[in-house]
Amino acid sequence: MNLLHGDCLEILKTLDAGSQDLVVTSPPYNLGINYNSFKDTSPRKEYLKWCRSWVAEVRRVLADDGSFFLNVGAAPANPLMPHQLILELADGEEPLFILQNTFHWVKSISIETRSGERISAGHFKPINSKRFVNDCHEYVFHLTKNGEVPLDRRAAGVPYQDKSNIARWGHTGGADLRCRGNTWFIPYDTIMSRDKERPHPATFPIALVEQCVKLHGKGSATRLLDPFLGIGTSAIAAHRQRITAFTGIELDELYLRTARERLAEEVARFAGELPLG
């Protein structure tokens, strides 16, 4: 695994064209998040121009049959940002990518079962407002060069709720596994100390990256890239999916050091040198 320190725009330029199969990343959202070494408050046009610059490099290094999963969140008072960003990247006269799928990463949800039981699961950041409701989801945009990249839908699938559908629908092939669809409920792991366990203001769960790896369908042979590594979530996901061809880029030295420490702990735990949990 290759964990690199520096500006992703500059380091991406050093990577070979077509050298990556899969890119999964979550850039700064430009919503005033308090990062350690990055000012997250650029004027909107300037931010979109910057995104277009690094995404152009992502397109260059991505294989023709590659997938780019872009996680972007919003703020209740600033809901247009994800939509403006995807329009900048995948619409207009010179689109960089085609938007092939849009996934909704649900962090917290409340449902009522068929028996009438109400269940609430997941984690969210509550807001105190008379205008807005709590924001419990983010977007994961699936971008490709041609809009025709095949996916292994059932590799990232779920068992059927109604087992009679297995025999009723011929496309199942008798397997109790269906496409999960574009709504992913993936909660954060519960932590005891944010400063020690998640010293970064905007992370995504390991399982979210693993879901993208499974869906893309190349398994351990995947060449995976994360231009905004943060504290190493995607590197840990790569290790759990037996991916060795992983490249992560991080601007902040503290975050990168934490990423290397977390990955070393993950490798040691896998080797049986540390206890699980």
Side-chain angles (χ1 to χ4, degrees):
M1 292 195 178
N2 202 11
L3 275 57
L4 305 174
H5 176 239
D7 186 325
C8 75
L9 185 55
E10 297 304 318
I11 293 180
L12 283 170
K13 293 177 181 179
T14 69
L15 303 182
D16 292 338
S19 61
Q20 308 298 319
D21 301 306
L22 178 63
V23 178
V24 182
T25 200
S26 182
Y29 297 167
N30 203 43
L31 297 174
I33 294 175
N34 188 24
Y35 293 103
N36 198 47
S37 301
F38 184 83
K39 184 180 179 182
D40 196 41
T41 54
S42 298
R44 183 56 52 88
K45 288 185 178 180
E46 182 179 320
Y47 172 75
L48 293 176
K49 182 179 179 181
W50 172 71
C51 284
R52 188 174 179 89
S53 296
W54 67 260
V55 170
E57 286 300 316
V58 166
R59 189 186 194 285
R60 184 186 65 81
V61 303
L62 192 66
D64 289 342
D65 62 348
S67 287
F68 173 24
F69 288 89
L70 176 63
N71 165 227
V72 184
N78 193 1
L80 290 177
M81 199 286 294
H83 310 287
Q84 290 174 323
L85 176 57
I86 201 62
L87 287 172
E88 177 69 29
L89 303 179
D91 192 43
E93 296 181 359
E94 298 182 0
L96 294 172
F97 280 100
I98 291 175
L99 179 60
Q100 186 166 321
N101 289 283
T102 298
F103 297 95
H104 302 270
W105 166 28
V106 179
K107 304 176 183 181
S108 175
I109 192 169
S110 295
I111 62 172
E112 186 169 321
T113 68
R114 293 177 181 178
S115 63
E117 180 185 8
R118 290 181 178 176
I119 300 173
S120 292
H123 306 274
F124 62 92
K125 183 178 181 180
I127 60 173
N128 184 17
S129 172
K130 293 183 178 180
R131 296 185 296 156
F132 305 117
V133 299
N134 293 328
D135 189 1
C136 300
H137 104 294
E138 293 187 10
Y139 296 95
V140 179
F141 297 117
H142 173 222
L143 300 156
T144 62
K145 290 185 176 182
N146 54 30
E148 299 180 358
V149 173
L151 300 174
D152 192 346
R153 306 193 318 157
R154 286 200 285 189
V158 293
Y160 281 92
Q161 177 71 27
D162 296 312
K163 303 304 181 184
S164 61
N165 287 332
I166 300 171
R168 183 185 307 132
W169 295 342
H171 68 267
T172 67
D176 183 14
L177 202 64
R178 67 168 177 82
C179 172
R180 184 183 298 262
N182 67 349
T183 303
W184 296 352
F185 171 57
I186 305 177
Y188 284 107
D189 292 333
T190 300
I191 60 175
M192 300 301 293
S193 171
R194 183 177 184 90
D195 289 341
K196 293 181 180 180
E197 299 178 61
R198 199 185 295 156
H200 188 285
T203 60
F204 47 34
I206 297 169
L208 188 146
V209 184
E210 290 185 290
Q211 182 78 353
C212 297
V213 172
K214 293 174 183 177
L215 190 61
H216 189 60
K218 289 183 180 286
S220 61
T222 304
R223 297 170 298 175
L224 175 60
L225 168 68
D226 184 351
F228 299 93
L229 180 64
I231 57 173
T233 298
S234 53
I236 293 174
H239 181 263
R240 293 184 181 181
Q241 293 297 310
R242 309 296 185 264
I243 293 172
T244 57
F246 172 81
T247 301
I249 305 169
E250 176 52 45
L251 176 67
D252 186 85
E253 291 184 2
L254 172 62
Y255 296 158
L256 183 60
R257 183 167 65 249
T258 302
R260 287 172 173 158
E261 290 171 354
R262 292 181 72 208
L263 181 58
E265 289 178 0
E266 174 70 18
V267 171
R269 188 175 291 113
F270 177 78
E273 299 173 14
L274 290 175
L276 295 175

